[in-house]
Amino acid sequence: MKAPRYLAIAAVTLDGRIAADEDHFSNWTSKEDKKFMRSLLDTCDVVIVGNNTYKTAKKPLSKRNCIVLTRSIPGTKRMAPNLMYLNTKGAKLKQIIINAKYKKVAVLGGAQVYTYCLEREMITDLYLTVEPVIFGAGIPLFAGKLKLRKPKILSVKKLNRKGALLIHARLRAL
Amino acid sequence: MKAPRYLAIAAVTLDGRIAADEDHFSNWTSKEDKKFMRSLLDTCDVVIVGNNTYKTAKKPLSKRNCIVLTRSIPGTKRMAPNLMYLNTKGAKLKQIIINAKYKKVAVLGGAQVYTYCLEREMITDLYLTVEPVIFGAGIPLFAGKLKLRKPKILSVKKLNRKGALLIHARLRAL
């Protein structure tokens, strides 16, 4: 059986921030990025997202299969047919994804979730939108002590006239 | 008299880091980026650089006009015909640049210097090389509490086959 693909989908500023602060989801990204993200999510079987990020995007995510990473419960808890809460300290995320036969998994952030997944080789692809914005401060994409990686850039696309860029990088061979 | 142009020249990883730690200058960037940086520096009248960054690149910078920002002296001190040490607490950097009739100033970092210059409208252009590398941690481009800015992307160029990108952004009109 083929291992699942994990697609980390993120938007960053020119200065590498995914948000200006904790409660800041994606109101600063371009409509072209939002459109791209929606169409890519449509191809995914499930979304992995942190509880903070989930709260800022509850409505658009409610129609999708979601696994929300949280410390508010000990193991897993099904909240709705398409919504599971999961504590990575008490449940095996990777195994749950394999058991559910998910083939294409979207990793939606925030920084803790991107970092958790990167550390466990649960990012095969990175879809990074670089928006022509500078925050000067804020939350970086990853927040770990990770080993240096040299992803392969598969494509770079201009998303709009303002110069938003979409970079598709392959982090490891499938 | 036309105001000087300030060109911030920086290389970042995909995850927005300019270095993995303090002593890490540019040994991780591509040779195409180094070549681009050298040719852009050749067009500049002077380089502004922090003392830490200067120390890691003393030799290549020795042939250029340099203003090294440092707290080790109280005001300004000329160390060589083309080398001035300057403490921004005791000397007016902007005025010194105008008095010297410098027209094109390269801002070379690190993060403190990029931030200092951005806060004072001393970055008119940002030449940002995005290298296909992930550190996961390290030093971000800016480290301040800055206002949100929306630079204009003037060009995006692929620097090499590995996918290093050069983004030229205009931060404010001249």
Side-chain angles (χ1 to χ4, degrees), chain A residues 81-101:
Chain A
N82 68 349
L83 176 62
M84 178 190 271
Y85 276 26
L86 185 150
N87 186 334
T88 56
K89 302 268 182 225
K92 289 182 172 165
L93 177 58
K94 222 170 185 170
Q95 197 55 48
I96 284 167
I97 284 164
I98 290 168
N99 292 351
K101 298 194 167 56

Side-chain angles (χ1 to χ4, degrees), chain B residues 142-172:
Chain B
F142 298 115
K145 277 279 170 210
L146 303 167
K147 62 180 188 216
L148 183 141
R149 286 156 199 266
K150 299 191 172 182
K152 192 170 152 61
I153 305 295
L154 298 187
S155 68
V156 179
K157 211 174 103 180
K158 224 171 134 174
L159 278 186
N160 58 26
R161 289 182 59 191
K162 283 192 175 160
L165 290 176
L166 174 63
I167 300 173
H168 177 194
R170 174 70 38 89
L171 266 77
R172 61 176 177 83

Side-chain angles (χ1 to χ4, degrees), chain A residues 25-135:
Chain A
F25 185 41
S26 65
N27 58 354
W28 57 276
T29 58
S30 60
K31 64 176 196 296
E32 292 79 11
D33 174 61
K34 289 192 183 72
K35 193 180 157 193
F36 163 76
M37 188 173 76
R38 276 196 304 271
S39 64
L40 187 56
L41 284 179
D42 286 345
T43 73
C44 293
D45 302 313
V46 66
V47 168
I48 299 176
V49 64
N51 201 11
N52 282 340
T53 306
Y54 178 71
K55 279 180 200 158
T56 64
K58 220 164 181 164
K59 208 177 151 210
L61 288 175
S62 64
K63 60 173 179 179
R64 307 190 185 273
N65 286 332
C66 285
I67 299 176
V68 176
L69 304 192
T70 177
R71 292 187 197 95
S72 67
I73 49 137
T76 63
K77 188 171 179 183
R78 192 157 289 279
M79 312 297 281
N82 68 349
L83 176 62
M84 178 190 271
Y85 276 26
L86 185 150
N87 186 334
T88 56
K89 302 268 182 225
K92 289 182 172 165
L93 177 58
K94 222 170 185 170
Q95 197 55 48
I96 284 167
I97 284 164
I98 290 168
N99 292 351
K101 298 194 167 56
Y102 292 135
K103 293 288 167 237
K104 208 169 164 187
V105 180
V107 178
L108 265 202
Q112 285 184 56
V113 171
Y114 292 131
T115 307
Y116 178 88
C117 288
L118 187 64
E119 281 172 343
R120 283 154 190 86
E121 306 298 330
M122 289 170 77
I123 298 181
T124 51
D125 292 79
L126 172 62
Y127 288 89
L128 190 71
T129 300
V130 183
E131 292 280 357
V133 173
I134 291 175
F135 287 160

Side-chain angles (χ1 to χ4, degrees), chain B residues 74-76 84-96 116:
Chain B
T76 63
M84 178 190 272
Y85 277 25
L86 185 151
N87 186 335
T88 56
K89 302 269 182 228
K92 290 183 172 164
L93 177 57
K94 224 171 183 170
Q95 197 53 50
I96 284 168
Y116 177 88

